[in-house]
Amino acid sequence: MPAEITPAVQSGKALGSVMFLDGQGELPMLKVNTAWSTAEIYLHGAHVTHFKKKDEPGLLFMSQCSRFAEGQPIRGGIPVIFPWFGPREGMGQHGFARVTAWELKEFIPAADGSVSVRLQLPDSPEGSAYPPFTAVYTITVKDDLTLRLDVTNNSEIESLTFENCLHSYFEIGDIKEVSLIGLKGAKYLDKVSQFAEKTESADAIRISSEVDRIYLNTTSTVEIQDSRLGRKICIEKHGSTSTVIWNPWIAKAQQMPDFGNDEYLRMVCVESGNVSSNQIILPPGETSKLEVKLSSESL
Ligand code: BG6
């Protein structure tokens, strides 16, 4: 796009680039390069599996045991959870978006050096329980990673009720040396204690056993402080009222076929979305926007 090349050269910034490749399992994958970072995005699930700033370890955890196959979710990176979160009777866990091949709509190497990739979920299958909708996911790669999921209710009469969640897996040095900041005072459903309702009392959450919690009505930024890697990760969000924290710990890790026994030590999920009582009821013709910005800096 020559119109974009000129301002980029004038401002002294190199344009980002995108390569279309066969990824693992021969699934189509986009490899993005910018002056600051690299990223990998699978059309399968609109799944970002990799984001790495130059001179920093990768931001996203990926399991060495992940499947890369049609119909199977990828373990790690950022699964897009939509239109439901958790189990659903007679249907798969966490919705169909993460196991569907999304369509590539466009990629934009912009004049500021960033690259945006826009993907769209194919129309929902005939007979689906949902009124017609459009789901568009825009991933912007630069010195940080911004993810935006726009869902439009195309029905003229029916509301669209759904849950969404960007299920980010973060790479950490050691779970025992990590603190999560920003959820003090929030109410949460503790899935490890049969969804008991609790209130977060810690300024800094530390993890030393299985954790699976849905924090409700939470809109603020969460920080992961990782003293082993000497890094702070910021998860800043808009259009999200739920935060899910998950680490499977030892026993669950051993039960998961697509997750290594010791991998719980190097990951934590901090997920941003709208789930459970925070589900979205979208009136006809309206669009909901969920935006998450992931950034990092030295501690
Ligand atoms: C989390 C859920 O979001 O995802 C957990 O809160 C679940 O309950 C985890 O175990 C992983 O789910 P899945 O389907 O990817 O194994």
Side-chain angles (χ1 to χ4, degrees):
M1 273 173 278
E4 284 168 341
I5 291 168
T6 312
V9 171
Q10 279 171 357
S11 69
K13 292 225 172 66
L15 278 186
S17 67
V18 180
M19 265 191 303
F20 214 178
L21 305 168
D22 273 348
Q24 297 193 58
E26 294 181 12
L27 296 173
M29 187 257 269
L30 296 163
K31 207 174 174 80
V32 177
N33 262 295
T34 72
W36 309 275
S37 59
T38 54
E40 291 177 4
I41 304 163
Y42 281 75
L43 299 189
H44 178 73
H47 203 120
V48 180
T49 53
H50 166 86
F51 174 75
K52 184 182 175 312
K53 273 170 39 178
K54 296 193 169 146
D55 307 323
E56 223 187 69
L59 190 78
L60 303 173
F61 164 86
M62 266 304 302
S63 171
Q64 295 303 309
C65 307
S66 178
R67 299 168 171 134
F68 285 86
E70 282 174 21
Q72 300 285 342
I74 293 171
R75 176 72 67 197
I78 312 178
V80 177
I81 308 302
F82 173 81
W84 67 88
F85 177 87
R88 199 41 82 90
E89 214 181 320
M91 298 193 276
Q93 156 127 325
H94 284 342
F96 49 77
R98 68 173 178 168
V99 289
T100 301
W102 290 54
E103 291 159 5
L104 175 61
K105 287 295 168 188
E106 58 179 342
F107 50 86
I108 308 161
D112 66 359
S114 69
V115 172
S116 291
V117 173
R118 186 158 296 132
L119 305 169
Q120 186 170 328
L121 191 64
D123 289 343
S124 48
E126 257 327 87
S128 129
Y130 295 88
F133 64 82
T134 308
V136 175
Y137 191 47
T138 308
I139 300 148
T140 301
V141 181
K142 44 182 190 172
D143 57 343
D144 50 29
L145 180 67
T146 303
L147 311 151
R148 201 178 88 197
L149 179 65
D150 293 342
V151 176
T152 302
N153 180 359
N154 298 326
S155 168
E156 287 175 11
I157 42 172
E158 257 185 284
S159 291
L160 171 66
T161 301
F162 64 92
E163 296 168 288
N164 58 12
C165 195
L166 301 180
H167 190 312
S168 324
Y169 288 72
F170 294 100
E171 176 83 35
I172 52 170
D174 184 343
I175 190 72
K176 295 179 187 120
E177 294 181 31
V178 156
S179 301
L180 308 179
I181 319 279
L183 292 165
K184 189 178 185 187
K187 295 239 177 321
Y188 67 92
L189 304 175
D190 191 349
K191 290 176 125 183
V192 174
S193 308
Q194 290 77 49
F195 287 81
E197 205 178 302
K198 300 185 179 172
T199 302
E200 183 56 67
S201 58
D203 282 315
I205 301 168
R206 308 282 296 203
I207 297 179
S208 54
S209 60
E210 182 186 353
V211 170
D212 192 355
R213 302 177 183 169
I214 300 174
Y215 289 84
L216 297 165
N217 308 318
T218 47
T219 55
S220 53
T221 298
V222 175
E223 264 179 37
I224 303 174
Q225 293 195 352
D226 179 345
S227 53
R228 175 68 71 95
L229 290 186
R231 175 166 77 176
K232 174 172 99 174
I233 299 173
C234 284
I235 302 131
E236 192 184 328
K237 58 190 193 151
H238 301 280
S240 157
T241 52
S242 316
T243 309
V244 179
I245 306 291
W246 181 60
N247 181 292
W249 213 249
I250 301 167
K252 274 268 166 67
Q254 288 171 352
Q255 287 161 20
M256 287 158 49
D258 57 347
F259 190 85
N261 286 355
D262 293 333
E263 288 186 328
Y264 73 95
L265 291 165
R266 289 195 299 105
M267 58 71 71
V268 65
C269 287
V270 178
E271 311 167 29
S272 306
N274 300 279
V275 308
S276 188
S277 58
N278 292 144
Q279 71 176 359
I280 291 176
I281 303 172
L282 192 64
E286 293 207 358
T287 298
S288 102
K289 292 181 197 300
L290 164 63
E291 185 169 284
V292 179
K293 184 168 104 174
L294 307 178
S295 59
S296 59
E297 58 185 72
S298 301
L299 263 183

